[in-house]
Amino acid sequence: MKANTNHLGAPQYDELIKTIHELLQTRRDCTCGRLHQTSTRQVIIASGALNQLPTAVTELQLTGKALLVADANTYQAAGRQAEDVLTQAGSTTTRLLLEPEPGQREVEATDEPVQTVQQEAAGCDYLIAVGSGTINDIVKLASTRLKIPYLAVATAASMTGYSSGIAAIRSGAIKQTLPAAPPVAIVADIDIIASAPIQMQAAGVGDLVSRSLSSTDWKLSSLLRGDYFCPWIAQTVDQADQQCRAVATDISQGGPGALSVLTAGLILAGIAMKMAETSAPGSGGGHLISHYWDMTAPASGRTRNLHGLQVALGDLICAALYEKLWPRLAEIDLDKVVANRPCAEEFAAQTYQHYASLIGPEAAQQVTQAALSKYAEGEQLYNQLAPVVAEPNQVWQKLSPLFSSAAQLRRIYQQAGIPCTATALGISKADLDNAYRFASRFRDRYTILDLACDLGLLEELREEVFADAQVAR
Ligand SMILES: [Zn+2]
Ligand SMILES: [Zn+2]
């Protein structure tokens, strides 16, 4: 178990890698009731880290044949070099280059490539994923199903998924986050990451900084619905988020020190999510909005944007919603809210109708089930909302240490070069409105979007929220 340190000139990096090193060796029997641990053994973040790949393989006692999985771009960026260093060190590797579906520009993480990797890996002893979000998700799920380990060779600091315990895979029309075992080692060569398109790093900042709003939603769901929450995990992801904010401007200029901070922050946040055994610390309302745009992109004729860039926009909306909603809580008449609540059948019909035209009847049925699973009515709704309506300030005191305002987020985004408007991401006003109204319905996770909906305020606050978030331009 080790995490290499190198000195790329950023003190934030030293602190993050020290924490990563500690977490790799942690087996924490936590007061939250869960045992926190990960199966990742090595994290190597350095300039020239790829040369350490054979050493990692030896130290992890991986023997036999490896299947290296890449696409045309990531093979060019790091795959060939990975193959070369492994071959020189005497390892046997075969190669699988994944190709986009006909008519698509890029490989997408769906069931099909996962099955291709499973088939091609017959007779192999371990896998090597060369890439970022998509390739990593595909190989992570294949490795879990095959029950053989995999190593991740990072090609961009674009998302927290390298070290997390989930794989985001589209199955049919629905984007699912499936439990999956993280890599045994992550090799992040800062020279390779620095040559990735600058947008990838901006997306990485968007995904990492979203820990704040995700943790706020996570805490909200625990306060209102008694859902699981761990303060230690929330604090760990906050550390990653804060260190990255400190170097946001340098990240946009591609400085190797700042990129090593971002890479370490993303890996640290992913490990914390794995240790929590839930994606809640990294997947709040802003993430649901991003997944909504992913799922509806084909029907709306849009191309998908990078996950972290969409999440950043979603978080601006959710932050503004918190800020608009909270002052209204004092004037809420809870009896009236409960009386005016549409019945579950009406809510289900509305949900189904919206989604059926976008993702087809079968998938819309699944979404409706998820939406109904968190739809409270009558006494249950009353009891769920009573604490926040009776004592909004007390609840806010528990949320505010985790929260970031829309203005704070926008400042970081501007420093990191993240586009802050829907137009910049090719998202129409209708796509914005619909994501705000319907994104929370396809998963059972409770977020600020659900609280606003439960209080009957979601629609009423919409334009004010967009104005404050400054996204509808
Ligand atoms: Zn805990
Ligand atoms: Zn994310």
Side-chain angles (χ1 to χ4, degrees):
M1 286 186 245
K2 71 171 194 179
N4 280 27
T5 51
N6 70 337
H7 289 278
L8 293 163
Q12 293 87 357
Y13 171 80
D14 294 336
E15 198 176 307
L16 290 173
I17 200 75
K18 184 168 160 265
T19 308
I20 290 174
H21 185 104
E22 285 162 8
L23 289 185
L24 296 189
Q25 302 183 55
T26 292
R27 244 179 84 89
R28 183 186 171 97
D29 208 348
C30 191
T31 49
C32 74
R34 291 193 181 176
L35 177 68
H36 298 313
Q37 60 184 344
T38 183
S39 50
T40 301
R41 305 270 62 95
Q42 284 203 19
V43 172
I44 305 169
I45 303 167
S47 169
L50 206 48
N51 295 316
Q52 297 179 47
L53 184 58
T55 318
V57 169
T58 308
E59 287 180 3
L60 292 161
Q61 297 175 329
L62 296 173
T63 51
K65 226 167 93 181
L67 178 69
L68 182 141
V69 184
D71 65 20
N73 295 329
T74 63
Y75 184 71
Q76 175 97 15
R80 183 177 296 130
Q81 200 188 334
E83 246 173 29
D84 288 349
V85 292
L86 286 168
T87 309
Q88 278 164 23
S91 297
T92 314
T93 57
T94 49
R95 178 199 316 158
L96 170 63
L97 289 189
L98 294 173
E99 285 173 15
E101 291 281 298
Q104 299 285 316
R105 280 187 306 140
E106 285 169 356
V107 175
E108 198 193 341
T110 60
D111 292 328
E112 217 167 54
V114 174
Q115 278 163 21
T116 307
V117 174
Q118 285 180 250
Q119 283 156 12
E120 293 290 321
C124 289
D125 303 284
Y126 61 99
L127 303 170
I128 300 171
V130 181
S132 58
T134 305
I135 301 288
N136 188 62
D137 278 336
I138 292 168
V139 176
K140 191 190 285 184
L141 190 57
S143 132
T144 304
R145 288 183 178 162
L146 291 164
K147 297 190 172 68
I148 60 173
Y150 89 98
L151 292 90
V153 173
T155 54
S158 53
M159 45 87 228
T160 58
Y162 290 117
S163 47
S164 73
I166 48 170
I169 303 285
R170 182 169 66 77
S171 179
I174 299 198
K175 188 109 179 194
Q176 294 184 305
T177 46
L178 304 168
V184 286
I186 301 165
V187 177
D189 190 327
I190 295 300
D191 299 340
I192 291 164
I193 285 170
S195 52
I198 195 77
Q199 258 207 325
M200 305 281 277
Q201 277 82 280
V205 175
D207 202 18
L208 186 50
V209 167
S210 81
R211 304 306 105 174
S212 166
L213 264 289
S214 294
S215 290
T216 312
D217 279 343
W218 189 24
K219 181 77 185 173
L220 178 75
S221 77
S222 90
L223 293 173
L224 267 59
R225 307 199 320 156
D227 290 342
Y228 165 76
F229 179 82
C230 172
W232 180 73
I233 295 284
Q235 192 194 330
T236 306
V237 294
D238 183 58
Q239 183 197 353
D241 179 340
Q242 294 305 328
Q243 302 289 20
C244 165
R245 289 182 193 215
V247 298
T249 307
D250 298 335
I251 290 169
S252 72
Q253 282 149 19
L259 289 183
S260 67
V261 175
L262 174 60
T263 306
L266 290 165
I267 291 172
L268 174 54
I271 293 173
M273 265 157 73
K274 159 65 193 154
M275 288 184 145
E277 298 295 349
T278 161
S279 63
S283 187
H287 269 75
L288 298 185
I289 288 176
S290 171
H291 290 318
Y292 175 90
W293 284 327
D294 281 343
M295 289 194 309
T296 59
S300 304
R302 268 180 290 114
T303 38
R304 289 182 193 87
N305 281 287
L306 289 170
H307 168 75
L309 300 184
Q310 293 186 164
V311 166
L313 206 62
D315 273 1
L316 280 176
I317 294 167
C318 291
L321 181 55
Y322 267 106
E323 293 176 279
K324 278 285 160 203
L325 183 106
W326 230 262
R328 298 286 298 270
L329 287 168
E331 60 191 65
I332 293 284
D333 178 343
L334 206 45
D335 290 314
K336 226 164 138 184
V337 167
V338 172
N340 291 341
R341 176 79 151 172
C343 68
E345 289 75 21
E346 195 183 327
F347 179 79
Q350 187 197 51
T351 306
Y352 178 82
Q353 201 179 15
H354 174 76
Y355 275 95
S357 62
L358 292 165
I359 59 173
E362 206 177 305
Q365 198 55 52
Q366 284 181 52
V367 170
T368 307
Q369 286 308 318
L372 281 177
S373 73
K374 61 178 173 182
Y375 194 75
E377 289 179 277
E379 202 183 326
Q380 192 197 352
L381 179 65
Y382 189 98
N383 292 338
Q384 192 168 298
L385 297 174
V388 73
V389 170
E391 305 277 3
N393 293 337
Q394 278 192 12
V395 174
W396 186 249
Q397 273 173 22
K398 291 174 183 158
L399 299 179
S400 62
L402 304 163
F403 179 73
S404 296
S405 68
Q408 284 171 321
L409 290 178
R410 198 161 36 242
R411 194 161 51 245
I412 300 292
Y413 294 169
Q414 281 162 352
Q415 288 170 354
I418 297 174
C420 295
T421 65
T423 313
L425 294 183
I427 291 164
S428 67
K429 180 61 169 51
D431 291 334
L432 205 58
D433 288 348
N434 285 331
Y436 175 84
R437 287 187 188 118
F438 290 101
S440 74
R441 299 196 188 181
F442 73 89
R443 200 167 286 165
D444 57 4
R445 175 148 304 143
Y446 193 84
T447 71
I448 187 64
L449 295 164
D450 296 290
L451 177 58
C453 179
D454 288 353
L455 290 164
L457 287 173
L458 188 68
E459 197 54 28
E460 189 185 321
L461 291 174
R462 177 163 51 88
E463 290 307 319
E464 287 178 53
V465 165
F466 288 164
D468 274 19
Q470 300 177 23
V471 292
R473 355 175 134 173

